[in-house]
Amino acid sequence: MIKKFLIIVFTTLALTLNVNAGSDGNLILKKNEPTEVKDCFEKINRVTFAFNQTLDGAIFKPIASLYRKLPSPAKTGVSNSLENISHLLTIPNNVLQGDYKQAGVNTGRFIINSTLGILGIFDVAQYFGLTNYEKEDYGQSLAKAGVGPGCYIVLPVLGPSTVRDTIASAFNYLGGDPWYNVTINKDTKYFENSDYYFSKGVSGVDFRAKNYDSIENLENNSLDFYASVKSLYLQDRQQKILNSRKIVNTQDDSDWEEISQ
């Protein structure tokens, strides 16, 4: 009952803000400008960042190194399948943002790729003209509704985030993420808890492998690796919110939020 109430409150808030704030790109750009996002918890963030680096060196980096050696078709299939699952989170956020056309396109992509594409392994939808997929999440929906990012935060394991995006991510576990619902909440009998955690773990490895060389170069050439990662993340996040196609230097066009969403 409480969960349903929170879902209604969140949805109503997001829709209301969307109506009131409109789509002022300049305002969104200004609010999410990396230099405008304060690092209020820098001391704690740096400790957490160091912990994540240790974890990365012990687990994610070695596994990603092995993952990179897989044949390209296998890696592409994994990435496609993970992207297909992400449609389940993107579609409701398309609706929240009033982008009903894109919600329809992404729904078509999900149905086609889940069936003809064999659970998303193959991106068959592109041959039907359903391309240009952009991931969306509740943090982006709040940003486009006019909610500022708040302070920068580094989360254990999950990595860079902001106060707004961290709070928005919590909505996934209150019923906002269909993939979480059918696995952890067991809305169906076809999936297990392990399916959800496995997909998130593979997402982390896939992301690390795609950005393997970029991350290594950034670390080796940065006077302050923490500051470089923060700047890069906030720039990338700003572009995701604005659906900008500008490429950020030293980073593959992957979503820094895909692990936590």
Side-chain angles (χ1 to χ4, degrees):
M1 186 68 181
I2 295 177
K3 181 186 293 186
K4 291 182 178 180
F5 174 75
L6 290 173
I7 292 173
I8 293 173
V9 170
F10 185 94
T11 303
T12 302
L13 175 62
L15 289 173
T16 301
L17 286 171
N18 191 42
V19 171
N20 291 336
S23 56
D24 189 338
N26 291 329
L27 177 59
I28 294 173
L29 182 67
K30 178 64 176 176
K31 282 191 174 184
N32 291 278
E33 170 63 40
T35 57
E36 296 294 320
V37 181
K38 296 181 180 180
D39 195 349
C40 313
F41 316 107
E42 183 174 355
K43 290 184 179 180
I44 298 176
N45 283 341
R46 285 185 177 274
V47 172
T48 306
F49 182 78
F51 168 78
N52 288 346
Q53 284 301 104
T54 301
L55 193 66
D56 175 70
I59 300 177
F60 286 103
K61 183 177 178 179
I63 296 177
S65 181
L66 294 175
Y67 176 84
R68 296 177 75 202
K69 297 178 181 179
L70 292 176
S72 293
K75 291 184 289 186
T76 299
V78 171
S79 294
N80 287 344
S81 182
L82 293 170
E83 181 178 275
N84 194 52
I85 292 175
S86 74
H87 280 80
L88 295 173
L89 189 61
T90 293
I91 293 168
N93 280 284
N94 288 147
V95 174
L96 280 175
Q97 294 169 28
D99 195 349
Y100 304 114
K101 179 180 179 180
Q102 194 60 47
V105 169
N106 289 334
T107 299
R109 280 183 54 81
F110 178 73
I111 293 173
I112 292 172
N113 287 341
S114 296
T115 53
L116 299 180
I118 311 175
L119 300 179
I121 294 176
F122 303 100
D123 187 4
V124 180
Q126 63 179 314
Y127 300 110
F128 289 82
L130 303 178
T131 57
N132 299 325
Y133 174 64
E134 298 285 348
K135 295 178 183 178
E136 299 289 342
D137 56 59
Y138 292 108
Q140 287 169 267
S141 292
L142 286 178
K144 291 179 179 179
V147 178
C151 297
Y152 175 71
I153 297 177
V154 179
L155 300 173
V157 183
L158 304 180
S161 186
T162 61
V163 170
R164 177 197 59 216
D165 295 338
T166 300
I167 293 174
S169 295
F171 185 63
N172 294 339
Y173 312 112
L174 296 174
D177 182 357
W179 179 233
Y180 181 85
N181 293 340
V182 300
T183 51
I184 305 299
N185 288 341
K186 299 185 184 303
D187 283 0
T188 73
K189 61 181 179 180
Y190 302 106
F191 300 97
E192 300 295 332
N193 291 18
S194 57
D195 295 322
Y196 180 83
Y197 296 119
F198 179 76
S199 69
K200 293 303 176 184
V202 174
S203 292
V205 172
D206 185 62
F207 169 80
R208 184 63 172 89
K210 285 180 178 178
N211 293 280
Y212 193 94
D213 292 332
S214 298
I215 292 174
E216 294 301 300
N217 290 334
L218 185 66
E219 183 173 10
N220 292 333
N221 295 298
S222 296
L223 294 176
D224 186 347
F225 188 40
Y226 167 85
S228 296
V229 170
K230 178 179 70 172
S231 177
L232 183 62
Y233 168 78
L234 292 175
Q235 289 179 54
D236 178 75
R237 188 61 175 160
Q238 180 188 44
Q239 292 178 26
K240 292 291 190 296
I241 291 169
L242 295 173
N243 289 331
S244 170
R245 296 189 180 279
K246 178 182 176 183
I247 297 176
V248 179
N249 291 334
T250 75
Q251 185 187 341
D252 175 86
D253 187 26
S254 301
D255 191 343
W256 281 84
E257 297 299 301
E258 67 185 357
I259 304 171
S260 60
Q261 302 294 337

